[in-house]
Amino acid sequence: MKVRKTLTATGALILSVSLLTGFAGPAVTPTAVAAGVSNNKTAVAETYRGTAVAQMDDSEVFSAVSNPTSFKDLPKSHWAYTAIMNAVQKGYFKGYDDGTFKPSAPVTREEFAVLLSRVSTNQAGSGAVAFPDIKGKWSEQGVIDAINKGFINPSTYAAGFKPTQAMTRIEMVRWMANGLSAANPEYAQAIKDMAETVLPVKEYYAGTLNKSDYGVIGLMMGTGIMNGYENGQFGGNNTTSRAEVASILLRLEEVQKKSPDDFFNLRQMRELGTQGINAETMGYKFDDSENGMTFKNVIQGKKLSLKNNAGSVVMHHVIIIDPNNTNSIYYPLFFGEGSDVRNSIGEGGYLTASLITVTPNRDNFTAKTLYDASTVDILGGEGYSVGKSAKYGHPTLEYKLIGTDFKKGVPRKYYDVNVMRSPEYMLKISNLGVRFRGDSTLILRANVN
């Protein structure tokens, strides 16, 4: 921490208090400053929850320093300019003494803990004890507050907090998920619901994500607090910059005011996790679902025999996507630049992307064979190209694979893409549904409730 006294041309003393990390304490008002001038000639300014003290003469006047309105290394063209300036004005961040913000600098554990404690509206508990390696540091009280507000689980850092270690994205995800769950049990339930969800990131399809993180990553993506990168990856092991964190904190600030049901993407991710299909979120309902006649109970994960002894198919999950809703978290999987998937969707149509494993029982098995032999109306789509959406690494059925990648007795896992009527359009034709035949037959119709 630095305490600097500056004498202005009018003889007024400006006392500026700054942390070496470039993080701001709560705003100091003229009233608070005046109250801090005591008879023992000492001015006291609040930093985090401690004090910065500067000796003063009786004639010296303590004046508050306003938040900076610009930084030498932050042009207005910077992608995070608005977010950074908003975070600065809210008192979450401040710049450095040399007039820079250092937007690309990494954020450490202690810094992120302090930031969370400032942004969060959680009711703080008590009893948290400082980690031995933060005692006496500028961040001590902030880290304690982050623990008391539910963001940090001390048992995770039994070997030491290592306060100056750079935060990774997955560590940030876990902390923020903890904090939201502590404030609202529905967020904790949302995390549980997404233990088996579909995450639209490359690592999910590559199988390199820790499964225990599915729910917390889903919470961040479903609420929009954090998203994947342009290359399709989530990048959980990447460190985070001050610019990124400024944007993330402003989103967290808004999310903590809402409930999980306020987020469409979170609702569909939860339903995919618990039911294997996002049907209700998209406006559909299975007949007799109240009595257990659901995709999860009747179809998901079960070996379905194809007609004419053509083979078998297992349906893992079904994603229903409105081709006109670019805000759907699953839209980028199939509608990237160069994709021709939209060409097969007519007026009033929704895309169905069914992750299936097909095991042919004959040679010369094709998508047409699956279409003719399937007991599920939405299976048997033709080959397609997802264009640049291939960056996600999800298994698709490219045109070039038709007739060459289906081999007798060899399982083939991919997204079968087809079309079903939107709920609105389905209602126009007497609500004729879509059939899923397993040991029992399910009918999926527009939800009229």
Side-chain angles (χ1 to χ4, degrees):
M1 181 175 63
K2 292 181 180 178
V3 180
R4 184 178 61 197
K5 294 190 291 184
T6 304
L7 192 64
T8 68
T10 59
L13 180 76
I14 296 177
L15 178 66
S16 59
V17 181
S18 65
L19 300 175
L20 293 175
T21 57
F23 283 76
V28 182
T29 65
T31 302
V33 171
V37 180
S38 64
N39 292 332
N40 63 1
K41 305 177 183 179
T42 301
V44 181
E46 188 178 16
T47 55
Y48 179 72
R49 290 277 295 276
T51 56
V53 181
Q55 296 297 322
M56 305 175 66
D57 295 330
D58 285 335
S59 60
E60 291 178 327
V61 180
F62 190 58
S63 174
V65 181
S66 61
N67 289 330
T69 57
S70 65
F71 298 100
K72 292 190 295 187
D73 59 347
L74 187 68
K76 289 185 178 180
S77 59
H78 191 281
W79 69 269
Y81 175 82
T82 300
I84 289 171
M85 296 311 298
N86 283 343
V88 168
Q89 293 304 313
K90 289 172 182 286
Y92 303 152
F93 282 99
K94 71 176 298 181
Y96 292 84
D97 284 344
D98 61 359
T100 64
F101 182 80
K102 296 180 173 53
S104 299
V107 171
T108 65
R109 283 177 178 168
E110 63 180 343
E111 291 168 348
F112 195 60
V114 170
L115 288 166
L116 288 177
S117 66
R118 292 175 183 160
V119 174
S120 174
T121 56
N122 288 14
Q123 292 296 314
S126 60
V129 178
F131 295 103
D133 52 359
I134 66 165
K135 285 185 177 180
K137 290 177 62 68
W138 70 271
S139 61
E140 179 178 357
Q141 188 58 53
V143 175
I144 290 174
D145 280 4
I147 295 171
N148 283 331
K149 289 186 174 185
F151 288 95
I152 303 171
N153 182 352
S155 64
T156 306
Y157 302 98
F161 186 61
K162 299 177 182 177
T164 59
Q165 183 164 312
M167 286 289 292
T168 62
R169 282 168 58 85
I170 193 61
E171 195 171 24
M172 288 176 58
V173 163
R174 293 166 185 159
W175 285 18
M176 289 187 289
N178 288 343
L180 287 171
S181 298
N184 185 344
E186 271 299 306
Y187 280 114
Q189 184 59 52
I191 292 171
K192 293 179 182 178
D193 290 346
M194 292 184 288
E196 300 290 338
T197 197
V198 181
L199 298 172
V201 293
K202 188 172 185 177
E203 296 95 330
Y204 170 82
Y205 290 106
T208 56
L209 285 179
N210 188 332
K211 235 191 146 179
S212 64
D213 287 324
Y214 279 18
V216 292
I217 293 174
L219 183 60
M220 294 300 107
M221 297 187 73
T223 56
I225 293 175
M226 293 177 70
N227 298 294
Y229 290 109
E230 284 295 321
N231 64 3
Q233 297 180 354
F234 185 75
N237 293 324
N238 293 355
T239 57
T240 50
S241 69
R242 284 163 61 83
E244 290 173 311
V245 170
S247 300
I248 288 168
L249 289 175
L250 294 179
R251 296 182 201 128
L252 174 64
E253 183 181 44
E254 293 304 310
V255 169
Q256 68 183 349
K257 302 173 185 176
K258 301 177 181 180
S259 71
D261 285 343
D262 292 329
F263 301 95
F264 166 76
N265 281 325
L266 188 59
R267 294 201 309 273
Q268 62 175 337
M269 294 178 81
R270 293 177 72 176
E271 189 181 0
L272 271 164
T274 58
Q275 299 300 319
I277 183 172
N278 58 334
E280 288 197 18
T281 305
M282 297 301 295
Y284 302 93
K285 187 176 181 181
F286 284 103
D287 288 356
D288 208 23
S289 59
E290 295 84 356
N291 295 316
M293 298 294 287
T294 64
F295 177 83
K296 179 179 178 62
N297 292 339
V298 178
I299 301 293
Q300 187 180 29
K302 295 180 172 58
K303 185 177 180 180
L304 308 178
S305 296
L306 298 176
K307 299 174 187 176
N308 304 319
N309 197 33
S312 64
V313 61
V314 176
M315 298 188 71
H316 304 287
H317 61 249
V318 180
I319 307 173
I320 304 171
I321 306 171
D322 178 353
N324 297 312
N325 183 8
T326 59
N327 292 321
S328 170
I329 199 164
Y330 296 112
Y331 180 93
L333 286 176
F334 297 94
F335 295 98
E337 183 181 345
S339 168
D340 62 9
V341 171
R342 186 181 295 276
N343 298 343
S344 61
I345 304 175
E347 181 182 357
Y350 277 5
L351 182 79
T352 60
S354 305
L355 186 64
I356 62 175
T357 297
V358 177
T359 305
N361 196 32
R362 62 175 65 167
D363 295 321
N364 301 316
F365 189 101
T366 67
K368 179 68 164 55
T369 308
L370 177 61
Y371 176 81
D372 292 336
S374 175
T375 60
V376 178
D377 287 351
I378 59 172
L379 293 186
E382 297 180 349
Y384 55 92
S385 172
V386 294
K388 290 187 177 180
S389 291
K391 65 187 179 182
Y392 293 101
H394 49 321
T396 59
L397 186 66
E398 296 283 344
Y399 289 111
K400 63 183 180 181
L401 298 179
I402 294 180
T404 64
D405 210 49
F406 288 107
K407 301 185 184 303
K408 182 179 179 179
V410 179
R412 162 81 166 127
K413 189 175 185 179
Y414 67 97
Y415 273 109
D416 182 274
V417 167
N418 217 312
V419 181
M420 66 186 290
R421 297 180 180 92
S422 68
E424 294 78 14
Y425 197 80
M426 196 176 279
L427 288 171
K428 292 180 180 179
I429 53 173
S430 303
N431 206 8
L432 297 176
V434 174
R435 293 169 297 177
F436 294 73
R437 294 191 188 96
D439 293 336
S440 302
T441 299
L442 301 179
I443 305 294
L444 183 64
R445 306 181 196 274
N447 189 351
V448 296
N449 295 330

